[in-house]
Amino acid sequence: MTASDAIPARPRSFPAGRLLTVTWGVPDQFGGMTSALLHRSRAFARIAGRPVDILTLDGRPDYPSVRERLECSGELLPGMRLRNLYEDLRTGTPPAAAPGGADVTVEVAVEPGAVGVDRTTVAEASDGSALIETRRDGRPVALEHRRPDGTIAVLDERARDSGPRRLITWFDASGSPARQWTSAWACYADWLDGLIGGEPAFAIVDSKTTARFMASYRRPNVTTVHVVHNSHLQGSARPVGVLRPSRRPVFAHLERFDGVAFLTERQRADAAALLSDPGNLFVVPNGIDAPRRPPLADRDRDPAAGVVVAQLTRRKRVDHALDIVARCRARGMPVTLEVFGDGPDAATARARASVAGLGDAVTFSGHRRDAAEAFGASSWTLLTSTSEGAPLVLAEAMSRGCIPVAYDIPYGPADVITDAVDGALVPDGDRDAAAAAIARIALLPSEARERMRDAARASAARFDDERIVADWARVLEHARRRHARPVPLVDATVERLRVRFLRGRLRVSVRLAELPPGAFVVITLAARGPDGGLVRTRRRAHAGRVVWRLDAARTALVGPRHPLTCTVAVELEGSHVELEAATVFPDARSTARRIARRVAQRVRRRDGAPPR
């Protein structure tokens, strides 16, 4: 029986084509992004009757055991297939080179390097497959992907002394080198081409790491949609703020995807305000699993008992949750907290609880796949992260009648919680306000608390899978139409580009020739370095000219007196054509000084003197 044979036929008006989910990998203890993509894939298979291939690019050799573990836990259902690049390269033959990829995909043009002596097995599977690392001067310079019989399948050289710096070589079963790639992206593209062939397909990309590659993967039959799972901004300033360095390469070119799905309307609007909307930005929240057992009524819950479900990382700020519990108890509220999750800060969190004297109040229960069920018996939950995309944990808690107390951070809490109706929103980082909110909830009459629980369940209904699957059908159809649009011919050229700094604001003026009617001009200003600011606007030209005056916030973001990269592009009928990218130094002279200089130059030219 094939994967598609096992799926109930429940068409949901999805456009025709294979459904692919592309991510970097599936960790043993995965967080919200991986949970969300697995949940979405299950909903596609279960509700829409569509098979889903989950494609991973990491090098771990034990995907058979990963697959088995996901099937046993119910994360991987019939109709869902988990595939890995290196697993396929160990067990099969690489596909033919991608069209036009001859410059990076070769048969065997370079002799693979010798395996070094400083080798360490970094991962090994139960069937004998292994990943072996070679290091030089403490740096990894080669990775060997070994088959179960010990033969080498792939040698990935990353610091060659001659020829291409990166060389990935595939060896056949006899041990002879048979295929090579001079970049990882070329290898990824060949693999995807072999999996997809010529049939229509939709590639939904969740991982921000993988999104950098997928933004460059353009095929006539493959529609790409990137899902943004977390805040794109660094710090709390919004909507005009610095992009996170990990997001900047993709967010600087959102038009390269046929669709970009945000989890909340606030984040979509903020991205559009900072970077403009090329017409491919959508909102689709993540769905949640229904409770496995009926949640307890208020009278059966301890009003002082709380629960936190989170990875124990710096971004989740579980130390704030512990401090909030300590403040509640200092006020005479005998609150308790159970913490589900693991991570790099686990030991620190346990030590902090012990030092604060919370040994009898806080329980650390580790990572559990069914941790969400604890919401059904707890009275309240805390969310103290620095940022989120749209925290699934809030919807999971509210669907089980657990009242959330959350910092009002970007993004998510304010899109889910109505303060004092189905939960509590408090200022970011205000631990006293969070403690006071918990005290208010715990001291409410049971009937009032039950009304809040009912309201929380009603709010969580927005994340019902039937609604989410229908939203995805609409997004994929819109993205497919955008992908299939004809590409118009654009012959416009930039005749003049000026960037000035005047009266505290940057002013960009562009004059273009041969600009097609109805076209938009897209101007991007970017400060140098991964931490530099980036802003973009798109607007119609008048008589071939565009003038853009940045406000004070955007001027401060990119830096008024530093060299900037200014990019000019044209958008027509959904197509994006970049015309020019130049390094510019904003002209900070006053209008009077500029006029005076022009007059002086004209006088010098009239008198035959060389210009200055």
Side-chain angles (χ1 to χ4, degrees):
M1 181 173 64
T2 65
S4 58
D5 293 333
I7 303 175
R10 300 180 188 173
R12 272 295 185 277
S13 302
F14 263 63
R18 289 178 62 181
L19 295 178
L20 312 172
T21 290
V22 186
T23 190
W24 180 250
V26 180
D28 291 334
Q29 295 184 4
F30 49 79
M33 185 201 75
T34 304
S35 293
L37 73 87
L38 288 170
H39 181 99
R40 183 186 66 233
S41 300
R42 289 195 301 273
F44 286 170
R46 180 173 52 86
I47 296 173
R50 300 293 297 274
V52 182
D53 285 337
I54 300 170
L55 309 180
T56 60
L57 303 172
D58 64 335
R60 65 182 300 175
D62 57 340
Y63 264 92
S65 57
V66 173
R67 203 172 285 114
E68 180 181 4
R69 189 161 55 249
L70 293 176
E71 289 171 350
C72 291
S73 64
E75 298 281 0
L76 208 59
L77 300 180
M80 297 167 63
R81 182 169 54 173
L82 178 62
R83 299 192 64 168
N84 174 257
L85 164 66
Y86 293 101
E87 184 180 37
D88 281 6
L89 290 178
R90 285 194 301 270
T91 59
T93 302
D103 57 330
V104 289
T105 307
V106 294
E107 289 306 316
V108 177
V110 182
E111 184 68 23
V115 174
V117 294
D118 186 11
R119 299 165 64 230
T120 304
T121 299
V122 295
E124 192 168 9
S126 57
D127 67 353
S129 300
L131 177 64
I132 301 173
E133 181 183 78
T134 299
R135 302 180 73 84
R136 181 192 306 152
D137 299 328
R139 295 188 306 112
V141 295
L143 292 173
E144 304 167 49
H145 299 266
R146 295 274 174 172
R147 297 184 176 94
D149 63 3
T151 59
I152 189 168
V154 179
L155 176 62
D156 182 359
E157 301 172 79
R158 302 185 174 194
R160 291 174 56 86
D161 296 324
S162 62
R165 291 287 291 169
R166 182 82 179 265
L167 185 66
I168 302 172
T169 305
W170 178 80
F171 296 79
D172 62 22
S174 69
S176 300
R179 285 286 299 284
Q180 286 181 329
W181 299 269
T182 54
S183 77
W185 286 13
C187 180
Y188 301 163
D190 277 3
W191 181 57
L192 290 180
D193 288 342
L195 290 176
I196 299 169
E199 63 179 307
F202 296 89
I204 302 176
V205 187
D206 292 86
S207 160
K208 60 179 178 286
T209 303
T210 310
R212 296 182 63 180
F213 156 65
M214 289 300 295
S216 72
Y217 182 76
R218 306 298 293 169
R219 299 292 184 266
N221 58 313
V222 183
T223 300
T224 58
V225 179
H226 177 36
V227 183
V228 181
H229 284 271
N230 213 319
S231 174
H232 58 286
L233 296 175
Q234 188 171 260
S236 58
R238 52 173 291 268
V240 178
V242 177
L243 291 170
R244 292 177 182 271
S246 60
R247 296 282 184 189
R248 179 166 169 157
V250 171
F251 270 68
H253 300 284
L254 290 178
E255 74 282 347
R256 293 178 180 174
F257 285 97
D258 302 306
V260 179
F262 294 91
L263 304 182
T264 70
E265 172 56 30
R266 282 206 307 171
Q267 188 171 11
R268 188 212 64 79
D270 282 1
L274 180 67
L275 305 168
S276 82
D277 183 355
N280 62 344
L281 308 185
F282 307 97
V283 177
V284 187
N286 288 324
I288 59 172
D289 287 315
R292 297 180 183 178
R293 47 184 177 268
L296 298 180
D298 183 78
R299 63 179 179 274
D300 297 320
R301 306 189 197 213
D302 179 356
V307 63
V308 163
V309 178
Q311 285 188 306
L312 302 186
T313 63
R314 183 175 300 177
R315 183 171 67 85
K316 296 297 184 178
R317 290 194 295 200
V318 176
D319 60 312
H320 281 224
L322 299 177
D323 197 19
I324 291 165
V325 168
R327 294 180 189 215
C328 285
R329 293 177 71 86
R331 297 178 181 185
M333 291 292 302
V335 300
T336 60
L337 181 68
E338 186 170 12
V339 179
F340 289 92
D342 208 343
D345 287 355
T348 302
R350 288 185 172 89
R352 189 181 187 95
S354 176
V355 169
L358 298 175
D360 60 341
V362 177
T363 304
F364 291 91
S365 298
H367 175 80
R368 282 177 48 179
R369 298 302 315 153
D370 63 345
E373 296 308 311
F375 292 126
S378 299
S379 183
W380 47 268
T381 186
L382 277 168
L383 188 138
T384 53
S385 307
T386 58
S387 65
E388 293 283 351
L392 268 179
V393 69
L394 288 181
E396 289 175 334
M398 294 167 77
S399 72
R400 292 160 174 82
C402 187
I403 300 171
V405 176
Y407 286 167
D408 189 6
I409 55 170
Y411 293 92
D415 297 273
V416 180
I417 297 170
T418 302
D419 188 44
V421 175
D422 52 20
L425 285 171
V426 301
D428 183 12
D430 193 336
R431 286 168 266 195
D432 283 328
I438 291 172
R440 284 196 301 273
I441 292 168
L443 294 174
L444 281 174
S446 180
E447 296 80 5
R449 236 185 350 259
E450 191 65 74
R451 285 195 295 271
M452 289 191 74
R453 300 193 197 285
D454 289 341
R457 282 187 281 266
S459 295
R462 291 175 288 170
F463 303 90
D464 174 73
D465 275 338
E466 293 273 352
R467 297 185 184 185
I468 304 303
V469 169
D471 285 345
W472 268 111
R474 288 190 289 271
V475 167
L476 294 181
E477 175 58 32
H478 193 288
R480 183 196 63 78
R481 290 198 302 266
R482 179 181 174 86
H483 183 77
R485 68 198 184 278
V487 179
L489 181 64
V490 177
D491 288 327
T493 57
V494 177
E495 290 187 330
R496 187 175 68 183
L497 168 64
R498 288 182 176 174
V499 180
R500 297 173 178 169
F501 179 59
L502 189 62
R503 298 189 184 95
R505 296 168 61 184
L506 282 170
R507 179 181 182 272
V508 184
S509 61
V510 182
R511 189 167 66 200
L512 303 103
E514 305 298 328
L515 187 67
F520 282 89
V521 179
V522 182
I523 304 171
T524 304
L525 284 181
R528 289 184 174 180
D531 294 325
L534 184 149
V535 293
R536 171 181 288 189
T537 187
R538 60 192 299 272
R539 56 186 58 201
R540 293 191 189 276
H542 297 285
R545 187 166 180 261
V546 170
V547 177
W548 179 32
R549 294 178 178 86
L550 278 68
D551 59 21
R554 287 169 173 78
T555 296
L557 180 64
V558 294
R561 299 179 185 276
H562 300 293
L564 304 172
T565 299
C566 184
T567 304
V568 181
V570 171
E571 285 183 356
L572 182 63
E573 298 173 14
S575 293
H576 185 95
V577 180
E578 189 169 304
L579 301 181
E580 183 174 321
T583 299
V584 294
F585 291 81
D587 185 351
R589 295 174 301 168
S590 67
T591 302
R593 287 182 61 193
R594 281 196 292 269
I595 293 174
R597 181 170 176 80
R598 286 198 205 109
V599 171
Q601 288 176 335
R602 288 172 185 166
V603 170
R604 291 178 65 82
R605 283 195 296 268
R606 185 193 63 192
D607 296 340
R612 288 189 300 183

